[in-house]
Amino acid sequence: MSDADTAGRAAGETGPAGRLREQRGWYFYDFACSVYSTSVLTVFIGPYLTSVARAAADADGFVHPLGIPVRAGSVFPYAVSLSVVLAVLVMPLAGAAADRTGRKKPLLAVAAYVGATATAGLFLLEGTRYLLGAFLLIVANASLAVSMALYNAYLPQIAAPEERDAVSSRGWAFGYASGALVLLLDLALYTRHDSFGLTEGEAVRICLASAGLWWGAFTLVPLRRLRDRRVVPGGEGAVGSGWRQLVATLRDMRRHPLTLSFLLAYLVYNDGVQTVISQASVYGSEELGLEQTSLITAVLLVQVLAVAGALGMGRLARTYGAKRTILGSLAVWTLILAAGYLLPAGRPVWFFALAAGIGLVLGGSQALSRSLFSHLVPPGKEAEYFSAYEMSDRGLSWLGPLVFGLAYQLTGSYRDAILSLVLFFALGFVLLARVPVRKAVAAAGNPVPDRI
């Protein structure tokens, strides 16, 4: 290939057409992995793993992993909490390897396919195999977190500053659209399992495994369209440097205390968001006595409305600014939890109303947080700062499930457990309200948008 051909190809890859191609490929990783978040984590695995743990429990309702007495109903939130701890340990290593080699795409592939394989392996979860289920859940959930750290780090590379709110929101919308589509298929299989010659448990296991297959299949699209950027080689291996790089980044952030203030606020309120997502189906089935069909319908409603919510909140941000829009969503989250505490048992219509409220704020609050942070990153430090962002995303996301599980462990009430999560949204609101984002953008050395 001639120098002119090489130059033309490089221009095509980095120009508007090449950037648009990467953006479209980037959206498809949300399309691939969001099915795990919806079908597996939000709908099926919580109630099903809890039922398997209860089948293995003693007469007092306790299982004894490693000789430790644990309420069967706490196995699922504890497994989610452990998965986040594992993710926090692995993410700096993956981030360091990506930064030093410039090869995010192979690392994304490894994380995605480990997670997809573990998810497909949930087909083996039956009888009293709660430890197998907990192990596969920990691996799948940690793999998702690591892959999302690598995936989100592409955003500053594939979208100009003025595009990021829209690109980030479209990515979330793609994910919620795929979640809705697969949940429709799951609902058809689950409600008609008898006509397919399946037991209820077999139908659930197929739904779990098919999410892993979907995740693996559609991951091929971003792997074909995203491209790695060259970096200057040198330095130590990733294993030793991962944590040192994170510490160095955090030290550098001390020169940008307003960026750190935003990360702290995000860390707190996002933990609440992640815990509500992962524990909602357990609350609906165990505390409200809802059938699995009602839970699937509610989550399907969340997915459909979340598409509109993500895009609609993106439009609100253009009028009122991202910070005010996020603050409004946190106020709504707090009201949703208060309403959830008061929901009557056995009345799915009220649970559907609650699901509608969650859908309208879920995608937008996360998408706008991601795009708002991109304005607070000093030029030239996008990769390392987004690694720290992902650590904030996942760094305390073990705390919400742990608080939820402990609240249930101590009280035996899922209502008390759900109410304990109000603290995360209220504190996150206060911390975010105190961040002067326009000043923070200017302090980071970036142009201040008209609305932020």
Side-chain angles (χ1 to χ4, degrees), residues 6 20 53 154 219 232 449:
T6 301
L20 182 60
Y154 275 102
T219 294
V232 178

Side-chain angles (χ1 to χ4, degrees), residues 86-101 103 107 146 149-150 236-246 387 391:
L86 176 60
V88 167
L89 294 175
V90 175
M91 272 193 287
L93 308 183
D99 287 342
R100 289 182 176 277
T101 65
R103 293 174 60 80
L107 293 168
V146 173
L150 298 164
E236 300 176 38
V239 173
S241 63
W243 287 99
R244 284 195 291 275
Q245 177 178 322
L246 177 63
S387 295
M391 291 294 289

Side-chain angles (χ1 to χ4, degrees), residues 247-301:
V247 171
T249 301
L250 293 176
R251 285 177 178 168
D252 183 73
M253 280 186 177
R254 291 163 59 185
R255 299 189 298 111
H256 303 282
L258 298 180
T259 300
L260 270 177
S261 296
F262 172 81
L263 278 177
L264 177 61
Y266 176 71
L267 182 151
V268 173
Y269 70 73
N270 184 65
D271 196 7
V273 172
Q274 298 298 327
T275 307
V276 172
I277 293 171
S278 65
Q279 306 303 322
S281 62
V282 174
Y283 182 73
S285 63
E286 300 297 324
E287 185 66 36
L288 303 181
L290 300 180
E291 298 291 335
Q292 189 76 59
T293 302
S294 296
L295 297 176
I296 297 173
T297 304
V299 176
L300 180 59
L301 182 61

Side-chain angles (χ1 to χ4, degrees), residues 257-259 261-262 323 376 431-443 452:
L258 298 180
T259 300
S261 296
F262 172 81
K323 177 184 173 180
L376 307 181
L431 292 173
L432 179 59
R434 291 169 58 88
V435 179
V437 291
R438 298 183 68 84
K439 184 177 178 181
V441 174
I452 195 165

Side-chain angles (χ1 to χ4, degrees), residues 372-387:
L372 177 57
F373 179 73
S374 71
H375 293 284
L376 307 181
V377 177
K381 295 183 178 290
E382 289 84 1
E384 59 182 286
Y385 270 58
F386 258 94
S387 295

